[in-house]
Amino acid sequence: MAAVRVHREISGPSDAPTVVLAGSLGSTHRMWDPQVEALSEHFRVVRYDARGHGESPVPPGSYAIDDLADDLVALLDDIGVERAHLVGLSLGGMTGMRVAVRNPERVDRLVVLCSSAHLPPDVWLERAATVRADGVASIAESIVDRWFTPGFSQAHPDVRRAHVDMVAATPSAGYAACCDAIAAMDQRADLASIGAPTLAIAGADDPATPPEHLREVAEGVPDGRLLVLDQAAHLANVEQPQQVSAAIIEHLQGAPA
Ligand SMILES: O=C(O)CC1=CCC(=O)O1
C-alpha cells in the first residue's frame, strides 16, 4: 500500500536533533502531551497521528506494520530529515522497530515503550471484528481500563475520561485495520538485526504488553536495555510522565546501553 501523508505537529528548536514520537492504537499525537515540554528543551519533536487515526487519512482495507513504517519514513522525507531518533509506544513501538529493521540508515536511537515484537493474532482479529461490527466507541472504556492502573484512574478521572474520548473518536475502520496489522506482525526474528541502541520501557502493571514482552525486545536487540517502571500500566508515559521523559532524554543523548 502507498504511504500516506500523516497529520503531524512539530515543536522545539528547528536546529536540534529530531525525535519522532509514534503513538498507541486508538490514540492521536496528543497522547504525547506529557512529554512535549521536556523533550522540546533538547530536541525538535515531531508527533503524528498514525494512518487510520486522528486527522490522518484512513485508507480502506487492512493495514500491515510495513505500511505504518512506510508512513513514518515518508514523514521523515517530507520534513527533510535524513536520520532521527524514534520513540514509539505500543503500536508506535512496533512501527519504530520495523523502521529500524527496514530503514536502519534513518534511525539514530530507538525507544520502545509498552510494546511487543509479537502478540497473539486471534485476540487482535477478534478485536478487529468487534470494532467493525459495533464501532470503536463500544470498547473504549475497556481499552482504557488497560491503559492506567486502577489507582491512577481513580485519582485522575479527568485524564481517564479524556483518553476514553480519544479512543472513542478514532475512526472504526482505521482502528480495525491497525488491529489487522498487529495480528499479522511477528518481528521476533528481526530483533537481532536492529542496530540502533534501543531502550525498552515496560509498565510493571501493563496487562496489554507485560514486562516480559519488553524484556524480549531488550534481549533480542544487540544493543538493548530494559527499564521497568513501577505504578504504570500501558500508557506509562501518562502515568509516569517525568520518569519516562527523563529516561527518553538520557537514552537519546547517548547514555551507554
Ligand atoms: O490498547 C490496547 O489494548 C493495548 C495495545 C496493544 C497494542 C497497542 O497499540 O495497544
Side-chain angles (χ1 to χ4, degrees):
M1 204 183 274
V4 301
R5 186 180 192 282
V6 291
H7 175 77
R8 77 289 308 261
E9 297 283 336
I10 302 181
S11 32
S14 57
D15 57 347
T18 298
V19 57
V20 181
L21 308 181
S24 180
L25 182 68
S27 76
T28 71
H29 65 281
R30 296 293 306 271
M31 69 154 274
W32 295 109
D33 282 358
Q35 274 65 54
V36 170
E37 192 178 331
L39 293 188
S40 296
E41 287 175 21
H42 306 274
F43 303 102
R44 181 186 189 209
V45 180
V46 180
R47 303 183 281 165
Y48 72 99
D49 300 340
R51 64 166 58 204
H53 287 69
E55 294 177 54
S56 286
V58 189
S62 293
Y63 308 156
I65 294 295
D66 282 3
D67 297 323
L68 280 83
D70 288 345
D71 293 344
L72 202 165
V73 172
L75 169 61
L76 293 178
D77 290 343
D78 207 28
I79 60 176
V81 171
E82 213 26 69
R83 193 172 165 87
H85 300 303
L86 303 186
V87 175
L89 189 144
S90 201
L91 180 65
M94 299 167 194
T95 306
M97 290 189 279
R98 199 69 193 129
V99 175
V101 168
R102 294 171 79 219
N103 305 88
E105 73 288 354
R106 308 302 294 268
V107 184
D108 197 344
R109 285 175 166 257
L110 178 65
V111 181
V112 177
L113 299 100
C114 306
S115 187
S116 182
H118 176 70
L119 289 169
D122 49 333
V123 171
W124 291 93
L125 292 174
E126 194 182 316
R127 196 187 292 188
T130 301
V131 168
R132 287 189 172 107
D134 302 330
V136 71
S138 70
I139 60 165
E141 296 272 358
S142 64
I143 296 301
V144 175
D145 281 343
R146 294 148 59 92
W147 282 11
F148 302 122
T149 61
F152 182 87
S153 285
Q154 268 169 20
H156 304 280
D158 49 332
V159 177
R160 180 191 153 82
R161 174 49 45 197
H163 285 82
V164 170
D165 291 346
M166 183 172 71
V167 174
T170 306
S172 294
Y175 187 100
C178 286
C179 291
D180 293 335
I182 295 172
M185 177 200 74
D186 188 349
Q187 303 200 61
R188 289 173 292 188
D190 294 324
L191 294 173
S193 69
I194 294 182
T198 298
L199 173 63
I201 302 179
D205 307 309
D206 181 1
T209 51
E212 57 264 29
H213 288 253
L214 284 305
R215 183 177 306 284
E216 181 175 51
V217 171
E219 292 180 353
V221 174
D223 195 354
R225 177 165 66 110
L226 175 68
L227 173 65
V228 181
L229 298 177
D230 288 334
Q231 290 178 7
H234 194 59
L235 251 59
N237 72 304
V238 176
E239 200 158 348
Q240 297 297 342
Q242 288 91 357
Q243 279 191 71
V244 166
S245 298
I248 290 172
I249 291 166
E250 182 195 68
H251 179 66
L252 300 188
Q253 288 186 327

